[in-house]
Amino acid sequence: MRFGAPHRHYRLTDSTNARARALVEAGAPRGTVVTAGEQTAGRGRQGRSWSAPPGKALLYSAVLRPLDERHLLLPLAVPIAVCEAAELLQPGIECRIKWPNDVWLDERKLAGVLIEAKPQDGWAVIGVGLNLSIAPNEFPPDLRETAASLFGSGKGSRGKDRRSLPAVAPPTLPPTPLTAARSLSRHLARWVEADRDEILAAWRSRDALRGREISWRNGSGLADGIDDSGDLLVLGAGGERFVLGAGEVHLRL
Ligand code: BTN
């Protein structure tokens, strides 16, 4: 399949996910993509909001329909596609995934994924916010220590992997949101149709939490990878095993 035809871009809108949902409910075809330069009501996971300075992030929503059993692992497939797109846009970086689908660069959040689906009507909207060229002081104060940007955030764009590039490598320019959208569309098209084993293997190879101490409202332990349905496995201090579902818990590190 292909994402990006049709492609609707808004200079300013409330939320690309909200626009994509309205389009899909009005019959928009699979592959429809909505992007925006700026959102006034960007949505994040677990009821949070999502904001970014105008023109400095990819704000992207794509329509996937119809849904079938291959899409059960969609929440794992999407961040893999985001990692691959980001790594092509900024050669030399390596992205990891913080369960279930945050994309991390150098231990900071580079991108978030919000999938809104109506399985009974056979569609999903895949929302991605990817920080492209946000300077550290442009993030809200509470995110300054934990957010990354592909370009413009001192840490994210100059991590250890980048330093290992040859000294002659030309400086890369920040991609425009349109370039980033095209790249993401290509990688998404591949990963939404990938088979389970491939998705699980790729996700596990980018697992940022494995072996780390994590806690949530009702417990804590060592992250121990994901099971084949994408739930997080955790090993408690007394040897007990926990299985956490993505919708249920908010992790602390
Ligand atoms: C998260 O909480 O990590 C998910 C954030 C997802 C944000 C993106 S920005 C484009 C799309 N439109 C929205 O309203 N949300 C998603």
Side-chain angles (χ1 to χ4, degrees):
M1 75 165 293
R2 178 161 178 238
F3 285 106
H7 179 173
R8 183 173 291 194
H9 178 77
Y10 294 88
R11 191 184 56 78
L12 178 71
T13 191
D14 51 353
S15 150
T16 56
N17 265 34
R19 290 308 97 229
R21 285 185 72 134
L23 287 172
V24 81
E25 276 166 351
R30 76 200 297 236
T32 299
V33 164
V34 179
T35 54
E38 188 180 358
Q39 296 181 130
T40 54
R43 301 175 183 167
R45 288 184 60 238
Q46 297 181 320
R48 290 187 290 261
S49 62
W50 181 268
S51 68
K56 297 194 169 184
L58 171 64
L59 306 168
Y60 174 105
S61 301
V63 172
L64 180 62
R65 75 189 321 175
L67 298 178
D68 60 48
E69 65 285 349
R70 277 178 313 173
H71 301 127
L72 289 172
L73 292 186
L74 194 59
L76 304 186
V78 174
I80 300 169
V82 177
C83 285
E84 289 187 353
E87 288 168 356
L88 279 180
L89 293 167
Q90 172 63 297
I93 63 164
E94 266 177 38
C95 294
R96 304 182 56 86
I97 304 170
K98 182 200 156 226
W99 181 85
N101 48 27
D102 284 353
V103 172
W104 270 11
L105 174 61
D106 295 337
E107 305 276 309
R108 290 164 178 241
K109 182 161 169 170
L110 176 69
V113 172
L114 176 67
I115 299 173
E116 298 183 86
K118 210 165 175 188
Q120 66 274 30
D121 290 350
W123 59 258
V125 165
I126 300 167
V128 176
L130 167 63
N131 299 331
L132 296 176
S133 54
I134 305 179
N137 64 1
E138 292 179 301
F139 285 111
D142 56 319
L143 297 183
R144 236 161 254 175
E145 296 303 314
T146 56
S149 182
L150 264 191
F151 293 78
S153 106
K155 187 153 180 4
S157 56
R158 276 176 249 286
K160 53 184 176 334
D161 300 305
R162 217 176 137 58
R163 275 204 301 270
S164 67
L165 284 176
V168 292
T172 17
L173 290 172
T176 63
L178 183 60
T179 305
R182 289 203 181 111
S183 177
L184 179 57
S185 285
R186 273 195 303 278
H187 291 276
L188 260 190
R190 154 156 157 62
W191 281 102
V192 299
E193 294 194 333
D195 69 43
R196 289 179 71 73
D197 290 347
E198 207 184 350
I199 294 170
L200 288 167
W203 196 99
R204 287 174 174 138
S205 74
R206 293 182 181 273
D207 184 349
L209 292 185
R210 195 178 183 106
R212 291 171 70 144
E213 190 68 42
I214 58 167
S215 63
W216 63 102
R217 187 138 53 116
N218 303 316
S220 64
L222 275 190
D224 194 26
I226 52 168
D227 65 15
D228 286 356
S229 53
D231 287 340
L232 183 68
L233 304 171
V234 185
L235 196 53
E240 65 277 40
R241 294 199 161 270
F242 302 98
V243 182
L244 306 182
E248 301 148 31
V249 292
H250 176 52
L251 289 186
R252 289 184 288 267
L253 292 174

